[in-house]
Amino acid sequence: PTDPAKSIPDGETARKQRRVLESLLQVGSGVASKPELDRIWDSLGSSDRGIRHAARAALEKQPVSDWKDRLSSENDPVISTAATIALARVDADQSASEIFAKATGIRYQQCESRQTRLDILRSITLALIRAGQPSSADRAKLIRWLDKIYPAQTPEENRDLSAIAAFLKAPFAVERGIQLLTNASGQEEQIGYALNLRFIKNGWTPELRRTYFKWFVLSGNYRGGARMSNFLSDIKKHATESVPEADLTP
């Protein structure tokens, strides 16, 4: 017979906390009171992933004007990243500069938690996707920040960093992306870097471009789902279209 499942210490307490937060998501729940908003905010830093997610969802439902100002003075990196992601999801058009400032103000390389580092990158990525190209001043600040932390410690971080660098057209995007591509061991990681490089038009040297297109020959032996071949062909097609006509081999 199967042994009975072991209960998780404090599991019932966590479930009750999550249900309270989820009640704020129900239709007709209205605007949270200050004590409720305080609970939401504090729950963003919970060690329980379910509570953190429910808190962020509840925060996103509240008027931005009720909680946005809290972010500037928040020092907890877990709460800060959760709230910054929430702000990017609901108000990126109006709050992009604040999102970038808060995210880059967290000491990225001193964050021991990989998840916190990934959440910093996620908040920036969301703001860029939803608000588009940043102002010249914000772009310059983001590129200076990237220059200090990219490449990072893990493939997951470098995947996101390479995408951000490419989006911002950072001057080092190509060189560092190709370096990561050539040093990556797994095909999934390599494909991620190749994908992020495909639309970059500037920053290439003849050697970097040769290295990039040689990779497509190597990737022809990769195995995956039924659409893997078409997916890789699309990456190569976009990469080829990004080569200036003057640089094309006759």
Side-chain angles (χ1 to χ4, degrees):
T2 303
D3 292 334
K6 295 181 180 179
S7 62
I8 300 174
D10 299 323
E12 183 59 31
T13 299
R15 283 190 289 275
K16 287 180 180 178
Q17 292 175 350
R18 190 178 70 247
R19 291 189 191 110
V20 169
L21 293 166
E22 290 171 346
S23 70
L24 298 170
L25 299 172
Q26 303 303 314
V27 175
S29 58
V31 176
S33 64
K34 185 180 183 304
E36 289 174 330
L37 191 57
D38 289 342
R39 173 178 290 182
I40 292 171
W41 193 265
D42 291 342
S43 297
L44 294 173
S46 171
S47 59
D48 185 287
R49 183 178 180 181
I51 291 175
R52 292 198 308 273
H53 177 79
R56 198 200 73 217
L59 186 67
E60 290 174 8
K61 191 178 179 185
Q62 304 307 313
V64 172
S65 58
D66 285 0
W67 56 268
K68 178 178 174 179
D69 290 344
R70 293 185 179 216
L71 189 54
S72 60
S73 59
E74 180 57 62
N75 294 320
D76 185 301
V78 177
I79 294 177
S80 294
T81 52
T84 307
I85 288 172
L87 189 58
R89 285 169 56 87
V90 300
D91 198 48
D93 284 346
Q94 301 300 319
S95 302
S97 289
E98 291 97 324
I99 293 165
F100 300 142
K102 188 62 182 182
T104 59
I106 299 171
R107 296 183 177 181
Y108 184 91
Q109 292 171 316
Q110 294 182 18
C111 290
E112 295 182 1
S113 167
R114 184 189 69 163
Q115 187 58 56
T116 299
R117 297 193 301 271
L118 288 171
D119 285 345
I120 292 171
L121 302 180
R122 185 184 176 197
S123 67
I124 293 172
T125 300
L126 282 170
L128 292 173
I129 290 172
R130 298 188 178 215
Q133 282 292 339
S135 67
S136 297
D138 282 337
R139 177 178 177 272
K141 291 175 183 177
L142 285 168
I143 289 174
R144 286 196 298 271
W145 177 75
L146 282 175
D147 193 23
K148 296 175 182 177
I149 66 169
Y150 174 52
Q153 300 176 31
T154 68
E156 292 82 7
E157 291 170 80
N158 285 326
R159 172 202 61 204
D160 292 349
L161 285 164
S162 66
I164 295 170
F167 186 90
L168 295 173
K169 301 179 177 63
F172 47 78
V174 171
E175 183 177 3
R176 296 184 196 182
I178 290 293
Q179 181 183 19
L180 288 167
L181 176 65
T182 55
N183 291 333
S185 56
Q187 69 177 48
E188 183 178 353
E189 184 183 355
Q190 291 177 20
I191 291 170
Y193 299 135
L195 184 71
N196 291 337
L197 287 164
R198 71 195 188 283
F199 289 130
I200 303 179
K201 297 181 182 295
N202 300 316
W204 296 93
T205 65
E207 181 59 31
L208 288 172
R209 205 179 293 281
R210 278 195 295 271
T211 300
Y212 186 37
F213 281 96
K214 282 181 180 178
W215 176 83
F216 288 103
V217 177
L218 173 67
S219 68
N221 297 317
Y222 289 169
R223 295 292 177 264
R227 298 183 180 180
M228 170 69 87
S229 178
N230 290 340
F231 180 59
L232 293 173
S233 295
D234 282 344
I235 298 175
K236 184 177 180 180
K237 174 178 178 290
H238 293 309
T240 302
E241 290 172 348
S242 297
V243 179
E245 187 174 348
D247 294 346
L248 291 172
T249 302

